[in-house]
Amino acid sequence: MSHYSVWSVLREGLRGQTGWERAWRDPEPKPEYDVVIIGGGGHGLATAYYLAKNHGITNVAVVEKGWLGGGNTGRNTTIVRSNYSQPSSTQFYEHSLKLWENLSHDLNYNVMFSQRGQLGLFHNPAGRDAAAKRANTMMACGIEASLLSRDEVMNMVPHLDYSENARFPILGAMLQKRAGTARHDAVAWGFARGADNYGVDILQQTEVTGILREGGMVTGVETTKGTIRAKKVGVAVAGSTGHVMRMAGIDRLPIESHKLQAFVSEPLKPLLDCVIGYGAPGAHFYISQSDKGGMVFGGDLDFYNSYAQRGNLPIVQDVAECAMAILPCLGRVKLLRHWAGIMDMSMDGTHIMTKTPVDKLYLNAGWCYGGFKATPASGWHFADLIANDRPDNLTAAFSLDRFERGLTIDEKGMGPTPKLH
Ligand SMILES: Cc1cc2nc3c(=O)[nH]c(=O)nc-3n(C[C@H](O)[C@H](O)[C@H](O)COP(=O)(O)OP(=O)(O)OC[C@H]3O[C@@H](n4cnc5c(N)ncnc54)[C@H](O)[C@@H]3O)c2cc1C
């Protein structure tokens, strides 16, 4: 694999871009692997990369039914942050943020990580208390966070709606300066190229249709390209988790599949140089401006379960209202596209990274709204779980049995009800 550098860009510029190699191979499946990962999204690809890089396990296949990153990885609003309210979550996401900070160098692939800062607005005293609690939790975990007054927010982003009679009056915000955005498909491609470089087989257009077991232990997968034996199998299929785990005989999981939509406007001149989010009764909204100038934004999930990866008009209206409530200057901007991903909403709003009742079958799921930012750490720790057959310190809390033991990680303090998250 050729190394990307300023010299290779110059060299290819001079010889008409004729010397670039494929970023990853397109191999036929082998009959057997040490590890098969189901799902070629960011999490599956990162897991394969770290299995090879951190643990020297290179006889690995990533099996993807479509194209790489065609699931939620290529459909999200690309926000990366580590400002979660539960210590176990914020520490996990902080490890991810640290990996993001060096990811382009590590992968030798520009994932366009831009630490432009994220403001979480609050609109009432209860919101301020919640933000202060969250910031304190973060600081107790050694993560920098600050609370900004209304005037400080106004200095930073002057064109929000600060009027007295605004639908959601702005009282202040919590700022995480190291938060930002990244280019979503570049993350999938970068991990794919990195894993391929270690010898991992990436099998696109290969759907897993069955999971093979013998005596309570997983032994491989059935795919549309034939049977593949495996000593270990990891599942990272986001919204298809219930469907795939049923193939292994596990038919009840604390996860629901929901649609989540995202939107992009026509390109604008620079308007917003940070990420902004807010949640208030009846509203949930987050927005940033892409490097191409489009305003990229989203809101709440659709309030019904679905496997349809497409948008609908009620959510367009809802999210447009949320946008106008905070950034009225968007009123005349044209919406270019909107789309949906099938996300895996867990019952406590927190992810699941766990061994399963089937020996040597491992599950990585339940990322809800927030799995893109987790991609590097998810791959790092899931690879560790698969390689060592036990969770490490940062992942032990995210086991499946936390729901049986009453140790849920209730990120938003709203109980195990997905429709309230
Ligand atoms: C609209 C939207 C906005 C979002 N915004 C953000 C955000 O701003 N920040 C953030 O951190 N997170 C965000 N998320 C969440 C984030 O995108 C996901 O949590 C994350 O990308 C999940 O990655 P993944 O690799 O687990 O899943 P995916 O990328 O969905 O990959 C799973 C893959 O499994 C494949 N698969 C499924 N079944 C099979 C099978 N039987 N055989 C083989 N392959 C199979 C699918 O084709 C898919 O490619 C958002 C999600 C959506 C939908």
Side-chain angles (χ1 to χ4, degrees), residues 346-349 403 408 410 414-418 421:
S346 69
M347 296 298 108
D348 58 358
F403 295 94
T408 51
D410 190 357
M414 289 172 172
T417 311
H421 282 282

Coordinates of all heavy atoms in Angstrom, one line a residue, residues 346-349 403 408 410 414-418 421:
S346 N -30.8 1.7 22.7 CA -30.8 0.8 23.9 C -31.8 1.4 24.9 O -32.2 2.5 24.9 CB -29.4 0.7 24.5 OG -29.1 1.9 25.1
M347 N -32.1 0.5 25.9 CA -33.2 0.9 26.8 C -32.7 1.9 27.9 O -33.5 2.5 28.6 CB -33.7 -0.3 27.6 CG -34.4 -1.3 26.7 SD -35.9 -0.6 25.8 CE -35.3 -0.4 24.2
D348 N -31.4 2.1 28.0 CA -30.9 3.2 29.0 C -30.2 4.3 28.2 O -29.5 5.1 28.8 CB -30.1 2.6 30.1 CG -28.9 1.8 29.6 OD1 -28.7 1.7 28.4 OD2 -28.1 1.4 30.5
G349 N -30.2 4.2 26.9 CA -29.5 5.3 26.1 C -28.0 5.1 26.1 O -27.3 6.1 25.7
F403 N -28.7 -4.9 32.5 CA -30.1 -4.7 32.6 C -30.8 -5.7 33.5 O -31.8 -5.4 34.1 CB -30.7 -4.9 31.1 CG -30.2 -3.8 30.2 CD1 -29.1 -4.0 29.4 CD2 -30.9 -2.6 30.1 CE1 -28.6 -3.0 28.6 CE2 -30.4 -1.6 29.3 CZ -29.3 -1.8 28.5
T408 N -28.2 -0.1 35.1 CA -28.3 0.6 33.9 C -27.5 1.9 33.9 O -27.3 2.5 35.0 CB -29.8 0.9 33.5 OG1 -30.4 1.5 34.6 CG2 -30.5 -0.4 33.1
D410 N -28.0 5.3 32.9 CA -29.1 6.1 32.4 C -28.6 7.5 32.0 O -28.7 8.4 32.8 CB -30.2 6.2 33.5 CG -31.5 6.8 33.0 OD1 -31.6 7.2 31.9 OD2 -32.4 6.8 33.9
M414 N -33.7 9.6 32.2 CA -35.1 9.4 31.8 C -35.6 8.0 31.8 O -36.6 7.7 31.3 CB -35.3 10.0 30.4 CG -35.1 11.5 30.3 SD -35.1 12.0 28.6 CE -35.2 13.8 28.8
G415 N -34.8 7.1 32.4 CA -35.3 5.8 32.6 C -35.1 5.0 31.3 O -34.8 5.5 30.2
P416 N -35.4 3.7 31.4 CA -35.2 2.8 30.3 C -36.3 2.9 29.2 O -36.9 1.9 28.8 CB -35.2 1.4 30.9 CG -36.0 1.6 32.1 CD -36.0 3.0 32.6
T417 N -36.6 4.1 28.7 CA -37.7 4.2 27.8 C -37.1 5.0 26.5 O -36.9 6.2 26.6 CB -38.9 5.0 28.4 OG1 -39.2 4.5 29.6 CG2 -40.1 5.0 27.5
P418 N -36.9 4.3 25.4 CA -36.2 4.9 24.3 C -36.9 6.1 23.8 O -36.3 7.1 23.3 CB -36.1 3.8 23.3 CG -37.1 2.8 23.7 CD -37.2 2.9 25.2
H421 N -35.7 9.3 25.2 CA -34.3 9.8 25.2 C -34.1 10.8 24.1 O -34.8 10.8 23.1 CB -33.4 8.6 24.9 CG -33.2 7.8 26.1 ND1 -32.3 8.1 27.1 CD2 -33.8 6.6 26.5 CE1 -32.3 7.2 28.0 NE2 -33.2 6.3 27.7

